[in-house]
Amino acid sequence: MQDSNEGGRARRTFLKTAGVVATAGLAGCSGGGNEGESPATGGGGGETETATPESSDGETPTGNTLSLSIPNAANFDPVQIKGDGSQIVSDHVFSELFSLPRGSLEPEAQLVSDYSVSDDGRTYTFQLREDVTFHNGEQLTASDVVYSWERLAASENSQEGGVILNGGFQIEHETTTETVDGEEQEVYEPGSLAVEAVDDTTLEVTLASPFFDALFWFAYGSLSPVPEGIVGDIEGYDGEMEYSEFASQSPIGTGPFRTDTVETGTEVVLAADEEYHGEAPGPDEIRMQVVQNTQARYQRAVNESVQVFELPNSRFDPSKVSFEESRELGQRVGTYGPLSNDETVNYATWDDAYTAYFIFDCSRVEKPIRQALNYAVNQENFVEQGFRGVGEPAYHQSPPSVFPGGKEAYDRHAQENFPYGYNEAMMEEARTTMEEAGYGPDNPASVTLSLYNDRNPDAYSRIANILRSKAASIHVDLTIERAPFNTIISEAVSGNLDMYTLGNGLEYPSPMDMLKFGRPYDGNLVRWREDPSDASERAAEAWEQIQNNLGPGEAAQEARNEAFITMEEAIWEDAIYLTNYHPRGQQWWYDDVDVPVQSSGFHDRLYDDVTF
């Protein structure tokens, strides 16, 4: 979910999305919410706007302190799925073996000084840097990485084990057969992960098979190292800290900032780490005020209580944008204004490589209902009315930037093949589909749509109102409920929701990272496997074709591309999603700080190189 305000990478944003139970699109929309907002206005009316600068404690930001507003920030453990506020904190506290430099999509070494790959493409040997220390003063060693990745695979606190245990990028490991909810399943055998500390600074990792984008995964946030034994949630460790303290108060990583103070639900203060191995951060301190209400965050922005901010959709006016330059990865930079305080500020937008959608639980919502709702909407309206025109209508799961052949091929394939109306609503087809399934004016289907109340609530309220109006005319009684992001995820995993807001930002530039959520398999939130069909079987076969062609080379790429298209069309046929849009990230900032422009949705949202 990223709407015009959404930014950051899925894992590092919304949604870490590849948990042991594959939770799709947990990195979704940025922007906080207010449960009491009017669906039509997002709570934008009746607020007094002043231009008196004040920080979170009532004082004007001074010195090298960067002030931000963030949504709720509650758990910073790298192996936990996070919402936006927690992810922003984690991005600054933790770092990974590799990273994506600004302006590039080519991973480069961050915590390693050198690496090599075996001839068969499976074994990676990393030489760790010897100048890296954790925030508790301990030197980073290979044993720390072994422990950290074992936690990712085996800890009961981990929601991201699938990152290294399932899918194309998979560290070699063993499984055992266990009965889970009455079904036999293969589960990870603790201690079997093929990750070895050869010595203090040499780490050897063996993949189950070669993978064409392995370095992107070594830059994945959930693989961030933590000190060996810091918590006792895996076999062989008693833990040096209580889990709650580590996860919510004092996370320990190797990033440019350490936590200074954490007042859950109120404020997180980060301090620059004096022993950081990289270039010293620009800010000495980052004060992140937790503000759930988007309009309150807007108020802080126009009061100049923050230097960098996002506008809620209800306040965004496209006519106030003036672009001055475009950059290599599609970023556009210019100015926005005036704001209500008469200030014109800096503005940037970038490709988030993200897809926002409503997800159906196929075991709860019949196929004709899913298809009819797809017929009834026009994604162009979602973009224009819901997201103020910032973004592109979504017809595929794969964002245009990674679709085989790029944006031009994306548009052509959708225009020629999308069955539910390209840039149009097909109301007659929707009604016919419902009536043929036995529904009518006196026998409507009942569906509950669950929306975030803490992520772009104004935008999603507008979209939901459009959808509810359409649904009423096609024999669907659509009830709208709202809940926090974490509640929606929990309820979705438990199978208690009909239809709900989700989305996913890609971790590496391949449709595979998005389509992994569409394949029918145990744990998939759409539960497509519980409603088997010809389309689901084609999707499963196409996924198998992808898995058989994960190595480098043109032939493997062509085989993957063919399977990607097959999966997209199978997803269309059974309407397991209702796609919304592909967002562009946005950011505004005042002239008293120099903020490097976000490169893309593949990059962490970092403020370490902000200058004053």
Side-chain angles (χ1 to χ4, degrees):
M1 13 153 295
Q2 307 308 51
D3 60 7
S4 60
N5 297 338
E6 301 165 299
R9 299 172 65 174
R11 68 174 170 85
R12 299 158 167 164
T13 78
F14 215 70
L15 332 178
K16 302 241 169 162
T17 57
V20 175
V21 175
T23 47
L26 306 183
C29 321
S30 59
N34 175 14
E35 297 180 39
E37 290 176 350
S38 161
T41 66
E47 296 185 278
T48 303
E49 297 171 3
T50 65
T52 303
E54 57 177 329
S55 69
S56 58
D57 57 5
E59 299 178 357
T60 303
T62 59
N64 284 3
T65 294
L66 180 67
S67 295
L68 309 171
S69 296
I70 61 172
N72 191 33
N75 189 307
F76 315 122
D77 185 354
V79 304
Q80 280 273 321
I81 290 170
K82 299 177 181 65
D84 295 317
S86 294
Q87 193 62 57
I88 291 174
V89 174
S90 293
D91 286 344
H92 290 82
V93 172
F94 297 100
S95 52
E96 304 83 35
L97 300 190
F98 283 76
S99 67
L100 297 181
R102 289 191 183 276
S104 173
L105 291 178
E106 293 296 326
E108 68 176 23
Q110 181 169 226
L111 299 181
V112 303
S113 59
D114 196 11
Y115 76 98
S116 60
V117 185
S118 63
D119 291 341
D120 64 2
R122 295 179 56 220
T123 300
Y124 287 72
T125 302
F126 300 105
Q127 295 298 322
L128 300 183
R129 292 176 54 164
E130 298 184 22
D131 60 343
V132 178
T133 57
F134 290 103
H135 300 146
N136 62 1
E138 297 177 3
Q139 181 179 350
L140 170 68
T141 69
S143 295
D144 296 313
V145 181
V146 174
Y147 164 81
S148 301
W149 294 2
E150 179 67 16
R151 285 194 68 238
L152 178 61
S155 169
E156 62 182 8
N157 293 307
S158 178
Q159 296 175 328
E160 293 246 70
V163 170
I164 58 175
L165 299 179
N166 304 316
F169 175 80
Q170 185 178 144
I171 296 178
E172 190 172 68
H173 63 278
E174 297 177 6
T175 62
T176 58
T177 303
E178 293 186 7
T179 300
V180 180
D181 296 331
E183 295 184 5
E184 287 191 348
Q185 296 183 11
E186 292 299 312
V187 299
Y188 173 67
E189 174 66 33
S192 67
L193 205 62
V195 181
E196 179 186 357
V198 179
D199 56 39
D200 282 351
T201 59
T202 306
L203 180 74
E204 187 174 276
V205 183
T206 300
L207 305 184
S209 62
F211 189 67
F212 59 95
D213 261 338
L215 293 185
F216 266 85
W217 285 108
F218 289 123
Y220 190 82
S222 65
L223 277 74
S224 299
V226 300
E228 182 180 10
I230 195 68
V231 290
D233 55 359
I234 58 174
E235 186 176 348
Y237 295 95
D238 295 328
E240 300 173 14
M241 301 170 63
E242 291 294 328
Y243 179 74
S244 59
E245 180 185 359
F246 168 76
S248 303
Q249 293 293 318
S250 302
I252 299 175
T254 60
F257 289 86
R258 54 178 172 77
T259 54
D260 187 358
T261 60
V262 177
E263 297 179 45
T264 303
T266 302
E267 184 180 55
V268 178
V269 179
L270 303 181
D273 182 40
E274 295 179 356
E275 304 301 321
Y276 180 58
H277 59 274
E279 184 176 345
D284 294 329
E285 180 182 73
I286 303 179
R287 303 186 72 89
M288 302 183 184
Q289 190 79 5
V290 177
V291 184
Q292 296 283 19
N293 186 318
T294 52
Q295 302 307 318
R297 289 163 69 181
Y298 172 79
Q299 189 64 47
R300 296 192 80 232
V302 298
N303 285 353
E304 298 183 49
S305 300
V306 295
Q307 298 108 322
V308 184
F309 56 94
E310 297 174 348
L311 294 185
N313 290 103
S314 60
R315 298 287 190 172
F316 178 67
D317 183 351
S319 69
K320 294 185 177 183
V321 174
S322 296
F323 285 116
E324 298 168 2
E325 64 172 306
S326 296
R327 299 189 181 178
E328 184 176 355
L329 295 182
Q331 311 100 306
R332 303 187 70 190
V333 186
T335 59
Y336 181 94
L339 298 171
S340 58
N341 60 6
D342 293 326
E343 293 286 339
T344 294
V345 296
N346 303 289
Y347 173 72
T349 180
W350 57 87
D351 175 17
D352 260 342
Y354 194 99
T355 304
Y357 47 88
F358 295 126
I359 184 172
F360 292 106
D361 185 326
C362 297
S363 68
R364 296 172 62 97
V365 182
E366 296 176 87
K367 178 177 174 179
I369 302 172
R370 306 192 306 257
Q371 291 177 319
L373 288 171
N374 269 272
Y375 277 125
V377 303
N378 178 353
Q379 280 80 0
E380 295 275 357
N381 289 340
F382 284 170
V383 175
E384 295 303 321
Q385 298 182 39
F387 298 102
R388 306 295 195 228
V390 179
E392 300 182 30
Y395 297 103
H396 300 89
Q397 290 303 109
S398 308
S401 60
V402 302
F403 189 84
K407 185 180 185 318
E408 183 177 345
Y410 176 106
D411 292 338
R412 183 173 60 252
H413 184 256
Q415 190 165 6
E416 294 175 357
N417 299 283
F418 188 63
Y420 303 109
Y422 183 83
N423 193 18
E424 65 173 329
M426 303 174 69
M427 301 302 295
E428 190 59 40
E429 287 82 351
R431 277 188 288 270
T432 298
T433 299
M434 290 296 291
E435 290 165 4
E436 289 179 350
Y439 296 100
D442 299 325
N443 181 34
S446 295
V447 177
T448 298
L449 170 61
S450 301
L451 302 177
Y452 310 119
N453 64 18
D454 54 355
R455 298 171 184 277
N456 300 314
D458 51 347
Y460 282 105
S461 289
R462 289 192 293 270
I463 286 180
N465 287 335
I466 294 171
L467 186 57
R468 179 164 53 188
S469 175
K470 298 281 191 179
S473 66
I474 63 167
H475 318 312
V476 178
D477 182 6
L478 189 70
T479 300
I480 298 173
E481 295 182 347
R482 293 170 175 80
F485 169 78
N486 289 338
T487 299
I488 286 181
I489 295 307
S490 176
E491 290 296 291
V493 170
S494 299
N496 296 330
L497 303 181
D498 296 340
M499 178 183 181
Y500 44 96
T501 319
L502 272 183
N504 190 49
L506 299 188
E507 297 307 324
Y508 61 100
S510 170
M512 180 176 168
D513 195 38
M514 176 67 73
L515 293 173
K516 66 187 178 187
F517 300 118
R519 60 193 171 97
Y521 69 102
D522 291 351
N524 192 331
L525 293 185
V526 299
R527 293 177 175 81
W528 200 3
R529 68 182 185 86
E530 297 177 23
D531 185 25
S533 65
D534 291 343
S536 67
E537 290 179 4
R538 288 199 304 276
E541 291 170 359
W543 184 257
E544 185 67 22
Q545 179 172 320
I546 293 168
Q547 298 308 297
N548 292 334
N549 291 276
L550 294 179
E554 290 186 12
Q557 181 66 66
E558 290 176 5
R560 291 196 299 270
N561 287 348
E562 178 184 63
F564 293 149
I565 300 299
T566 298
M567 290 192 69
E568 293 279 8
E569 293 179 349
I571 287 169
W572 283 347
E573 182 173 328
D574 277 7
I576 65 174
Y577 301 122
L578 196 164
T579 52
N580 296 339
Y581 84 125
H582 302 297
R584 289 186 65 83
Q586 294 178 291
Q587 185 166 273
W588 291 255
W589 67 98
Y590 286 101
D591 281 337
D592 57 343
V593 292
D594 184 7
V595 180
V597 174
Q598 183 81 1
S599 295
S600 74
F602 294 113
H603 292 73
D604 289 341
R605 183 72 69 86
L606 287 171
Y607 299 102
D608 58 322
D609 47 3
V610 167
T611 56
F612 296 80

